[in-house]
């Protein structure tokens, strides 16, 4: 028999998150309120930029000393195996793993530097993580909930997250602009005379939701070159991210 879930609590949680009208505050509200559904000891939310890098964070019960050590060293050990995007990125594209794949039982993992020097000193035994995306399927943030006790995440909690994660992601995607089929973006890009021919190609693909990794494949150039073009586009058009670029092209 399927387990009865706390639907009233789920409803209240989603209602509180849905009442927020700004993406950063939405993420903070989500982290603050999710404890009512899934208790945790520590929580981290990492904000991800268009290059797939962490640029800010929101922490509950976590020492800045540990997150600093993580960003500067431990996220890069073992070839980036423990980076915040390791289970969400595959062959340069973002993917949404199953709820089961979002849980890590560190008590069953082989001992290595990350476990012995980073997790165990903090007492972390179990972690649950998931990502939030924009309408172009680009990762914008990851939420990680850690437990230090002997209780792993239960089947009921996994069911709860199965339902609420989809709603949270949908609410989050709505913060980002989606280009209509009738928009005249390509003409606006061409009107930006300061862009080179290659930069125009890259800007056009970015505005259509193509990821830097996909642009690299499509244009037969390295990802490093793609990011250089993106940097030049941002500088020339005076924007700092994809959303601002799209808004600029829509309204010029």
């Amino acid at each position: 028999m399927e387990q009865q879930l706390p639907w009233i609590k789920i409803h209240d949680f989603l209602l509180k998150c849905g009442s927020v009208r700004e993406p950063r505050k939405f993420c903070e509200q989500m982290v603050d309120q999710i404890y009512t559904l899934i208790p945790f000891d520590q929580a981290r939310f990492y904000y991800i930029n268009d290059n797939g890098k962490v640029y800010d964070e929101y922490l509950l019960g976590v020492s800045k000393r540990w997150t600093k050590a993580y960003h500067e060293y431990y996220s890069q050990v073992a070839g980036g195996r423990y980076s915040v995007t390791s289970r969400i990125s595959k062959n340069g594209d973002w993917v949404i793993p199953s709820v089961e794949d979002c849980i890590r039982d560190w008590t069953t993992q082989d001992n290595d530097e990350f476990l012995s020097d980073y997790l165990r000193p903090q007492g972390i035994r179990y972690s649950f993580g998931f990502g939030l995306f924009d309408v172009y399927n680009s990762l914008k943030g990851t939420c990680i909930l850690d437990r230090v006790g002997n209780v792993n995440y239960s089947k009921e909690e996994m069911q709860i997250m199965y339902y609420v994660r989809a709603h949270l992601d949908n609410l989050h995607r709505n913060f980002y602009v989606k280009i209509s089929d009738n928009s005249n973006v390509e003409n606006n890009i061409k009107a930006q005379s300061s862009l080179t021919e290659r930069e125009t190609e890259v800007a056009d693909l970015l505005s259509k939701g193509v990821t830097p990794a996909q642009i690299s494949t499509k244009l037969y150039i390295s990802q490093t070159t793609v990011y250089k073009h993106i940097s030049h586009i941002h500088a020339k058009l005076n924007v700092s991210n994809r959303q601002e670029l799209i808004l600029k092209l829509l309204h010029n």
Side-chain angles (χ1 to χ4, degrees), residues 230-246:
I230 292 174
S231 177
H232 293 159
I233 292 166
H234 287 178
K236 289 180 179 181
L237 300 187
N238 193 29
V239 298
S240 59
N241 55 50
R242 182 184 297 177
Q243 186 181 13
E244 290 181 7
L245 171 64
I246 292 170

Side-chain angles (χ1 to χ4, degrees), residues 165-181:
R165 183 181 66 166
H167 286 286
L168 290 170
D169 191 45
N170 186 57
L171 288 169
H172 186 264
R173 287 171 187 263
N174 289 338
F175 288 116
Y176 296 87
V177 177
K178 186 171 184 178
I179 303 173
S180 67
D181 293 336

Side-chain angles (χ1 to χ4, degrees), residues 17 19-28 47 172 175:
C17 292
S19 67
V20 181
R21 299 291 181 260
E22 193 273 323
R24 179 178 287 269
K25 291 182 179 178
F26 169 84
C27 296
E28 293 177 1
Y47 297 93
H172 186 264
F175 288 116

Side-chain angles (χ1 to χ4, degrees), residues 109-175:
Q109 301 290 313
D110 292 334
N111 190 41
D112 63 9
E113 183 180 15
F114 182 75
L115 271 71
S116 63
D117 298 347
Y118 183 75
L119 291 182
R120 286 180 183 158
Q122 297 179 77
I124 296 172
R125 299 173 65 86
Y126 306 101
S127 298
F128 181 91
F130 61 95
L132 294 179
F133 298 78
D134 64 14
V135 293
Y136 312 105
N137 295 316
S138 291
L139 182 70
K140 307 306 291 184
T142 59
C143 180
I144 302 170
L145 309 177
D146 295 320
R147 286 181 173 173
V148 302
N150 292 322
V151 181
N152 198 351
Y153 292 96
S154 67
K155 289 185 178 180
E156 177 182 324
E157 289 167 332
M158 290 170 62
Q159 279 188 297
I160 290 171
M161 282 311 305
Y162 173 80
Y163 290 109
V164 303
R165 183 181 66 166
H167 286 286
L168 290 170
D169 191 45
N170 186 57
L171 288 169
H172 186 264
R173 287 171 187 263
N174 289 338
F175 288 116

